[in-house]
Amino acid sequence: MHSPIETRALTTLATALALAGATFLTGCGGSSSSPSAQDVNALPSGVTDFGAKAYRATATGAASTAAGQDLLTGGLGKSGIASTAAAALTAFADPANPTADELRRNAIQSNYRGLVDNTANGGYGVLYGPNVDLTGKSTLGEGLVPGLEYVGVLDDGSGRKRVTMAVQIPDSFDVNAPCVVVGPSSGSRGVYGAIGSASDWGLKRGCAVALTDAGKGMGLYDLGDDTVHRIDGTRATRTVAGTLSHFAANITDAVRTAYNAVHPNRVALKQAHSQMNPEKDWGNDTLTATAYALYALNQQYAPVATGSTSAKSRRFTAANTMVIAASVSNGGAAVLRAAEQDTTGLIDGVVAGEPSAQPNTTAGYGVQFGGVPVASYGKSLMDYFTIANLYQPCAALAPAAALAEVSIYNYLALTAQTATATNRCTQLAAKGLITGSTTAEQATDALSKMRAAGWTAEADTMHNAHYALGNAVIISMMYTNAYGRISVVDNLCGMSAAAVAAGAPAAMAANVKAASFATGNGTVNGTPATVIYNDSVGGAKAWNLGVSPSSGVADFSLDAALCQRALVTGTNVVTGAALTTTSTPTKAQSDAVRAGVAEVQLNGNLRGKPTLMLAGRSDALLPINHSERAYTAYNKLVEGAASKLSYIEVTNAQHFDSFNAFSGFDTRFVPLHTYFVQALNSMYAHLKNGTALPASQVVRTTVRGGTPGAAPALTAAHVPGFSATPAVADVIGFSGTSVNVPN
């Protein structure tokens, strides 16, 4: 008798297994009566395998070598990930020349910390963390998971794609009940960017975990000295790194030299500057990582193929191995896209946490909240981020967005940027983009524009922190470059990337650059590079100090924000005039960016795959009206009764769980991560035993409250589980073709 996984249509399986390097032979056993290439385990097309390395530490330690590391924590255990450990990452023996093993350890430490609130009062080590088992109990000690890790790279033949993959196989892997969790990285993170999400759950379950950077990652290229990251995180010149280079800008030495003469100390980041629009391939890259995981499992456990002296057979296939695609944020978008593109049946189920889901249309469906239609929904990420980049710093000064903890949670005030935000309001009003004669009136109008553009009221008090931390600026700069396939030397909208000293571009310190594979998250968030406004009055400055030529005052580089918005609209934001061959930006640049956006948008067809999608209602980074709510409605329009998508919306949860450790966040928000774990448990039970998935619903949590910076400890009572039979007032349903989310 076959399990639900084994009873897929054989014709579908035949195509699926081609991705894993062979053609499926029909028949229940999937075996051949004679030797054939079809029996031989083979790498997916375009993949180079660097083999496996053992990480089998069972006790914590310095973990400077592979022998001292494990798969989940890099040998550091729960204690080494926790915030009670030293604030800095674990020290390198030689900071100027960290080893690949040291960089792996610190990358795991950094990425795990980046995804969760790692304080005990926030739930770390109590409700979740390496030491917490899948029932929510602290039974796993320090949480080390011994096993093997395969590393491979996918390329398209150009030598520029260079997608990194790591397949983690725990020693607890059950060959008789094989399972794989595939986790593309969140944000712009590197290959370990889903370590605290996909790996944490999958390794505890005894599944192999396929990690991939999906063409992003900490690919830092220094235009000054022509140095790159190798795949293993160590640095070398582009020439020395050769085929092991992770990313270098696609420019000649002559172009680089000329650029450096005018714009010294600049760097390029892979997602922004590869000129390949890697997001368009996130789905297929995720599918290839899945196929690579099957290859690795066969290399490890399959017998030698019939008629061969060394080549392994294909013991594990998509027909007999449970595959769950699961990740968060950009990784959540990647697993949705993978499901949409999975014409071959590799993936059995999907868990997408707070995904940047971008429907390719707003036609034919709608979004309602409390029965009231939402006016703005389903915008592309580039559309709403360039709106935020214009209005958010001014909106943060509105009385309705005011913060009770002015000295703690008010990031604009903390960073002495309130005066600059006031200037932004003044300049927006002068350009006719907002109204009002006072800052309060102008800010209120800016906030109303944010609301009209799809942000919810729950996001009001988050605008301050999000803008001051640079989120809108970083995304607007990186993604316009990425979508438009713009060269780093083109300085799109007058912006570039560099380390900063005294507010201006500076040479990146050697030790900072050496550690960047571990410390950076693939963005220009200041670690190690910052967004630079080249066209600032008085010379190039960090974005937050930029003085626009049109205003002559510090206004957070407003002219650049106007330029980035024009790339999306195709018109001058102030005058409404169409862009031309001589405008800034040009029509060609805008056309390129908009074409790139179209390449990454989702079609809503999950091919009947069981899917759980999660969102925090207070997400101010990826507004849920444009992402999860809109995608839920669009999927229903596309798939109709065949849809198996359940959407869970969690109150009092926002995009960055790691922010919950900050004073002011701790009293207001609960971790969404606990629901990601619940969703994976639910998906596993559904695929394994046929247990029904939870219905679409609102989960109503309770905040910790108390004093900012000293909120009481999070308990299970604050974060209730999914309901098998949600109350009518909590059911997310449909009114015609509109999704209706209860208030």
Side-chain angles (χ1 to χ4, degrees):
M1 181 179 219
H2 293 298
S3 73
I5 303 302
E6 293 171 321
T7 54
R8 302 179 195 176
L10 293 178
T11 53
T12 300
L13 291 174
T15 316
L17 294 171
L19 275 175
T23 303
F24 182 61
L25 292 175
T26 57
C28 247
S31 59
S32 172
S33 60
S34 61
S36 168
Q38 297 165 333
D39 294 318
V40 177
N41 189 39
L43 280 166
S45 177
V47 173
T48 299
D49 174 40
F50 294 102
K53 199 168 186 178
Y55 296 100
R56 288 202 163 104
T58 56
T60 58
S64 60
T65 65
Q69 294 188 28
D70 73 307
L71 297 179
L72 181 59
T73 73
L76 299 171
K78 180 260 294 185
S79 300
I81 304 295
S83 66
T84 52
L89 297 180
T90 304
F92 300 124
D94 178 0
N97 296 286
T99 67
D101 285 331
E102 289 178 314
L103 288 163
R104 176 189 183 273
R105 173 199 66 199
N106 284 25
I108 287 174
Q109 186 179 31
S110 174
N111 280 285
Y112 203 125
R113 287 179 174 180
L115 291 186
V116 301
D117 174 358
N118 63 336
T119 64
N121 271 8
Y124 179 79
V126 181
L127 299 179
Y128 58 87
N131 62 305
V132 177
D133 64 28
L134 297 181
T135 68
K137 307 297 183 184
S138 177
T139 64
L140 303 179
E142 282 291 323
L144 276 70
V145 180
L148 294 174
E149 186 171 284
Y150 281 75
V151 172
V153 172
L154 167 67
D155 195 63
D156 59 1
S158 69
R160 295 169 53 209
K161 183 175 171 69
R162 311 299 289 165
V163 173
T164 307
M165 301 171 291
V167 176
Q168 300 180 307
I169 306 175
D171 288 347
S172 59
F173 181 80
D174 185 352
V175 296
N176 296 311
C179 55
V180 171
V181 177
V182 56
S185 66
S186 66
S188 303
R189 294 179 180 276
V191 69
Y192 297 109
I195 195 77
S197 52
S199 286
D200 184 87
W201 186 90
L203 295 175
K204 291 173 183 176
R205 178 61 69 185
C207 300
V209 177
L211 300 174
T212 177
D213 62 16
K216 305 169 291 180
M218 198 56 219
L220 178 74
Y221 172 64
D222 189 325
L223 281 82
D225 61 12
D226 201 32
T227 57
V228 301
H229 281 120
R230 296 186 182 96
I231 294 299
D232 65 7
T234 58
R235 290 194 66 81
T237 63
R238 183 194 329 215
T239 300
V240 170
T243 59
L244 295 179
S245 171
H246 188 211
F247 162 69
N250 189 32
I251 55 176
T252 65
D253 279 340
V255 169
R256 181 174 66 86
T257 300
Y259 181 81
N260 287 335
V262 182
H263 303 288
N265 303 316
R266 300 306 202 271
V267 298
L269 279 298
K270 186 175 183 182
Q271 183 176 352
H273 299 122
S274 70
Q275 297 182 261
M276 301 190 78
N277 192 10
E279 186 175 345
K280 68 177 172 51
D281 295 328
W282 286 355
N284 284 325
D285 291 346
T286 300
L287 294 172
T288 299
T290 306
Y292 179 53
L294 294 173
Y295 167 84
L297 289 172
N298 285 320
Q299 287 299 100
Q300 196 59 36
Y301 296 111
V304 172
T306 303
S308 173
T309 58
S310 60
K312 292 298 187 75
S313 61
R314 293 183 306 104
R315 176 178 181 179
F316 302 102
T317 68
N320 59 27
T321 304
M322 180 191 297
V323 176
I324 302 175
S327 192
V328 303
S329 195
N330 279 350
V335 297
L336 291 175
R337 191 167 178 84
E340 291 185 350
Q341 295 177 328
D342 185 18
T343 59
T344 62
L346 275 175
I347 295 171
D348 298 300
V350 177
V351 175
E354 55 190 15
S356 53
Q358 304 182 65
N360 61 16
T361 183
T362 58
Y365 68 94
V367 174
Q368 296 181 3
F369 181 57
V372 179
V374 171
S376 182
Y377 58 87
K379 288 183 182 294
S380 71
L381 179 141
M382 204 71 268
D383 193 354
Y384 62 74
F385 261 105
T386 53
I387 291 172
N389 199 26
L390 275 180
Y391 296 110
Q392 197 171 46
C394 179
L397 302 181
L403 306 165
E405 310 86 34
V406 173
S407 64
I408 300 172
Y409 187 69
N410 189 328
Y411 279 73
L412 286 175
L414 271 181
T415 52
Q417 295 181 118
T418 302
T420 310
T422 301
N423 288 345
R424 172 62 72 91
C425 289
T426 302
Q427 293 306 313
L428 288 173
K431 296 178 188 303
L433 299 177
I434 56 174
T435 61
S437 57
T438 67
T439 298
E441 291 172 350
Q442 293 163 357
T444 297
D445 192 45
L447 183 61
S448 73
K449 286 182 166 29
M450 295 283 290
R451 291 269 197 95
W455 275 265
T456 64
E458 288 82 5
D460 283 356
T461 57
M462 290 290 286
H463 293 315
N464 186 311
H466 272 279
Y467 189 82
L469 292 168
N471 292 328
V473 179
I474 292 165
I475 298 297
S476 294
M477 180 272 199
M478 288 186 60
Y479 285 65
T480 50
N481 276 278
Y483 291 146
R485 304 181 189 228
I486 308 296
S487 171
V488 64
V489 300
D490 288 339
N491 294 329
L492 185 63
C493 290
M495 290 197 142
S496 60
V500 170
M508 191 175 292
N511 288 4
V512 170
K513 194 160 44 175
S516 58
F517 174 83
T519 58
N521 67 1
T523 73
V524 277
N525 69 343
T527 306
T530 294
V531 177
I532 301 296
Y533 184 37
N534 296 341
D535 296 343
S536 177
V537 173
K541 295 180 176 66
W543 68 269
N544 57 310
L545 302 176
V547 177
S548 293
S550 71
S551 69
V553 298
D555 57 7
F556 295 129
S557 310
L558 173 58
D559 285 358
L562 291 167
C563 172
Q564 290 161 339
R565 181 65 186 151
L567 287 167
V568 176
T569 64
T571 59
N572 182 292
V573 180
V574 177
T575 68
L579 300 180
T580 68
T581 57
T582 59
S583 61
T584 301
T586 66
K587 180 181 184 299
Q589 289 173 328
S590 173
D591 289 347
V593 169
R594 288 186 287 170
V597 170
E599 286 184 304
V600 307
Q601 290 177 302
L602 302 176
N603 63 32
N605 184 5
L606 291 169
R607 302 180 180 275
K609 295 183 188 297
T611 302
L612 282 171
M613 184 167 63
L614 316 171
R617 179 169 285 184
S618 298
D619 194 330
L621 185 80
L622 305 176
I624 53 180
N625 284 327
H626 297 310
S627 187
E628 296 89 353
R629 289 176 178 175
Y631 189 82
T632 299
Y634 187 36
N635 168 258
K636 185 69 170 179
L637 175 71
V638 172
E639 290 200 90
S643 172
K644 295 181 182 178
L645 168 66
S646 288
Y647 169 46
I648 311 293
E649 187 168 303
V650 181
T651 65
N652 306 309
Q654 50 88 30
H655 196 81
F656 297 108
D657 275 9
S658 58
F659 286 8
N660 292 354
F662 299 163
S663 179
F665 285 76
D666 58 346
T667 58
R668 297 169 182 263
F669 302 112
V670 300
L672 192 61
H673 178 71
T674 58
Y675 293 99
F676 183 78
V677 174
Q678 286 186 47
L680 274 164
N681 284 339
S682 296
M683 184 59 68
Y684 182 83
H686 176 70
L687 296 175
K688 186 76 171 176
N689 305 315
T691 307
L693 292 175
S696 295
Q697 61 189 273
V698 174
V699 177
R700 303 190 187 277
T701 65
T702 303
V703 299
R704 292 157 64 190
T707 303
L714 185 80
T715 68
H718 291 107
V719 285
F722 306 144
S723 174
T725 55
V728 173
D730 297 333
V731 172
I732 296 175
F734 288 87
S735 176
T737 58
S738 293
V739 66
N740 183 35
V741 180
N743 195 334

